[in-house]
Amino acid sequence: GIQVEQSPPDLILQEGANSTLRCNFSDSVNNLQWFHQNPWGQLINLFYIPSGTKQNGRLSATTVATERYSLLYISSSQTTDSGVYFCAVELETSGSRLTFGEGTQLTVNP
Amino acid sequence: SQTIHQWPATLVQPVGSPLSLECTVEGTSNPNLYWYRQAAGRGLQLLFYSVGIGQISSEVPQNLSASRPQDRQFILSSKKLLLSDSGFYLCAWSNGILAFFGQGTRLTVV
């Protein structure tokens, strides 16, 4: 079946530090998105990035489709960045099935 | 603009009782619709998805069912709840590129 693996599972940072979150996937993708889930459970999409690189403020993401991984970079982290970061993919062979990884729990301490 | 409504926000139900969770989307037509469950911990498990009225794909054999009676309405149901059905249920819609989530229903089966 579809495999989406995220690492690390947990990450604790001091405010101002940088971090890199990784997502590995098992097959070619039509769609890859990064999401942030806040402490109240709301999921917000950060990037649509099946390939290439995008940046939005302190966040950026890169997907290397040929090597089946994506990276989410957080620079100058703030306490409001805390929460769970998810990678979700639609494989080329899976139609509209959007499958999530297990997430990375990020805690940014002041 | 598009919005997604999911209710109720919290629900406590006894074992053996029925369940009906409703999700509606406004401002778009023919969306892909999804039901996920997030148990204690982090992962989002895809339960059902739908690409059109009456078209339901079931991902995991379980005590739940889904229906899409109208283009922008997605309903999650159970005839008899089990303790293991407790969790955080999330509805989402997608335009094929980005997915947008409702605020979720926290279901506790007692």
Side-chain angles (χ1 to χ4, degrees):
Chain A
I2 303 169
Q3 290 190 338
V4 184
E5 297 178 348
Q6 291 188 242
S7 59
D10 298 275
L11 187 59
I12 300 175
L13 302 174
Q14 287 300 121
E15 203 165 23
N18 302 328
S19 62
T20 301
L21 283 57
R22 186 177 180 103
C23 172
N24 293 331
F25 44 93
S26 59
D27 210 337
S28 301
V29 298
N30 285 329
N31 188 332
L32 188 148
Q33 298 177 54
W34 282 96
F35 292 85
H36 176 229
Q37 187 174 36
N38 66 23
W40 298 272
Q42 182 68 47
L43 276 151
I44 304 296
N45 47 22
L46 301 174
F47 293 103
Y48 164 74
I49 188 162
S51 63
T53 298
K54 290 185 177 179
Q55 181 162 4
N56 184 2
R58 295 181 297 103
L59 302 181
S60 63
T62 295
T63 298
V64 183
T66 53
E67 298 187 21
R68 299 181 184 168
Y69 73 87
S70 183
L71 303 174
L72 178 69
Y73 304 97
I74 304 174
S75 65
S76 304
S77 57
Q78 301 176 359
T79 56
T80 52
D81 294 331
S82 296
V84 185
Y85 289 82
F86 289 102
C87 166
V89 304
E90 280 183 19
L91 299 183
E92 288 183 355
T93 55
S94 68
S96 299
R97 184 188 296 120
L98 186 61
T99 301
F100 279 70
E102 289 295 302
T104 293
Q105 173 77 59
L106 175 65
T107 303
V108 181
N109 292 320
Chain B
S1 63
Q2 303 91 353
T3 55
I4 179 168
H5 302 281
Q6 185 183 343
W7 66 92
T10 59
L11 191 59
V12 180
Q13 292 284 105
V15 169
S17 64
L19 173 73
S20 181
L21 300 181
E22 188 167 342
C23 173
T24 60
V25 181
E26 296 178 358
T28 187
S29 60
N30 197 31
N32 293 336
L33 297 172
Y34 303 85
W35 278 111
Y36 290 89
R37 177 170 59 203
Q38 188 174 29
R42 289 196 294 266
L44 271 73
Q45 180 186 33
L46 178 61
L47 302 176
F48 301 95
Y49 70 97
S50 172
V51 299
I53 296 174
Q55 300 178 57
I56 310 293
S57 295
S58 175
E59 290 297 296
V60 183
Q62 60 211 326
N63 187 40
L64 301 169
S65 62
S67 62
R68 184 171 178 172
Q70 300 179 42
D71 182 45
R72 291 171 288 177
Q73 184 184 30
F74 205 24
I75 298 172
L76 183 69
S77 303
S78 174
K79 292 182 179 178
K80 290 186 178 181
L81 283 169
L82 306 172
L83 287 174
S84 57
D85 292 324
S86 293
F88 188 49
Y89 288 82
L90 289 152
C91 178
W93 76 273
S94 169
N95 56 12
I97 297 176
L98 294 176
F100 301 91
F101 280 80
Q103 296 201 342
T105 296
R106 202 163 298 278
L107 172 66
T108 304
V109 182
V110 296

